[in-house]
Amino acid sequence: MIRIAIAEDNDSLARAIHEKLELFEEEIEVAFRACDGRELQEMLAGDHTPNVILMDIEMPVMDGITATEIIREKYPQIKIIMLTVFDDEERIFNSIQAGANGYLLKEEPPDKIYEGIKMILEGGAPMSPVIAAKSLQLLRDPSRIEKREEDPEIKLSKRETEVLAQLSSGLNYKEIAENLFISPFTVRKHIENIYKILHVNSKMQAVNKAQKYKLI
């Protein structure tokens, strides 16, 4: 039995995904559904037996790309398929960088999602055709993403810069809080602000962009 976790904030879309998977109930079992990346982590802490996560990208509290990066570090045995409506190059690029094993569009019929789940467990990388084509374009010319980035005048506060520097050293929220004599909640708010200012979705992207523009 293949155990699946679903990360999807939209109730109707979550039901639609569940109904697609129910067609293969003899082989697939839905372990649980989370409404955002943070809730998904909490559920995995209590039950990290799912084989595959079907991960939405745009979710409140914590998006799917950030959640993917964290979960891939904690639970490398769990495969992650981004299941989303977005097919733009930047999200594809960021998802792959974060560690996603596959990328399917929600419009895919049930049999394609089932085939993608089976493929990923056999070591493959399932992708919707349009995603595969754009991924090949990115491989041929990775500067496509960089070219679209403007050279922004990024302004971080002194405290945000300190938090980002600590983050780049691999420290967690608690360790940063202790070093800077602030609360973990305050650290989290600073990091959320840093993500907004830098227009990124994950720690890795924030550190890379900060280093690129010599912010740290």
Side-chain angles (χ1 to χ4, degrees), residues 1 21 48 66 70-71 78 80 90 92 103-104 109 115 124 144 148 170 175 181-182 184 196 207 213:
M1 185 67 72
L21 297 177
H48 45 268
T66 303
I70 295 169
I71 291 167
I78 300 177
I80 300 176
E90 189 167 358
I92 296 169
Y103 198 115
L104 298 174
E115 288 172 10
R144 290 169 66 91
R148 293 196 310 190
E175 291 168 332
F181 303 102
I182 54 180
K196 289 178 183 177
V207 171
Y213 293 111

Side-chain angles (χ1 to χ4, degrees), residues 160 173 184-194 196:
E160 287 165 350
Y173 287 10
F185 174 79
T186 302
V187 172
R188 185 179 299 112
K189 294 303 294 181
H190 280 312
I191 291 175
E192 287 175 0
N193 288 338
I194 290 167
K196 289 178 183 177

Side-chain angles (χ1 to χ4, degrees), residues 32-204:
F32 52 79
R33 172 246 176 153
C35 294
D36 60 72
R38 189 168 298 164
E39 185 180 34
L40 177 62
Q41 290 183 68
E42 291 170 356
M43 289 183 167
L44 286 173
D47 176 9
H48 45 268
T49 61
N51 306 104
V52 179
I53 297 171
L54 299 180
M55 183 83 76
D56 187 26
I57 289 183
E58 291 293 325
M59 295 185 289
V61 185
M62 179 182 288
D63 65 89
I65 294 174
T66 303
T68 294
E69 183 183 18
I70 295 169
I71 291 167
R72 288 292 292 155
E73 289 182 1
K74 288 186 176 180
Y75 311 104
Q77 77 280 9
I78 300 177
K79 306 297 183 183
I80 300 176
I81 299 177
M82 310 309 286
L83 190 62
T84 178
V85 297
F86 299 106
D87 65 354
D88 60 280
E89 293 176 347
E90 189 167 358
R91 285 188 175 89
I92 296 169
F93 180 79
N94 291 339
S95 296
I96 293 171
Q97 272 204 323
N101 304 99
Y103 198 115
L104 298 174
L105 296 177
K106 288 177 180 174
E107 64 192 35
E108 294 288 359
D111 62 315
K112 293 299 182 184
I113 294 176
Y114 169 73
E115 288 172 10
I117 291 169
K118 295 285 284 186
M119 183 188 297
I120 209 170
L121 291 174
E122 293 169 359
M127 289 189 179
S128 297
V130 65
I131 302 300
K134 291 187 177 183
S135 297
L136 284 174
Q137 290 174 347
L138 287 172
L139 281 172
R140 294 189 189 105
D141 183 14
S143 63
R144 290 169 66 91
I145 295 295
E146 295 175 5
K147 285 174 184 174
R148 293 196 310 190
E149 288 185 1
E150 298 176 358
D151 188 359
E153 186 180 349
I154 300 172
K155 291 184 179 179
L156 296 176
S157 68
K158 180 181 177 182
R159 181 61 87 188
E160 287 165 350
T161 301
E162 291 172 342
V163 169
L164 189 53
Q166 298 270 320
L167 198 64
S168 70
S169 300
L171 302 181
N172 60 35
Y173 287 10
K174 184 180 178 181
E175 291 168 332
I176 295 173
E178 291 174 351
N179 288 345
L180 299 181
F181 303 102
I182 54 180
S183 71
F185 174 79
T186 302
V187 172
R188 185 179 299 112
K189 294 303 294 181
H190 280 312
I191 291 175
E192 287 175 0
N193 288 338
I194 290 167
Y195 284 5
K196 289 178 183 177
I197 293 169
L198 298 181
H199 302 290
V200 297
N201 299 296
S202 70
K203 176 180 72 174
M204 179 174 61

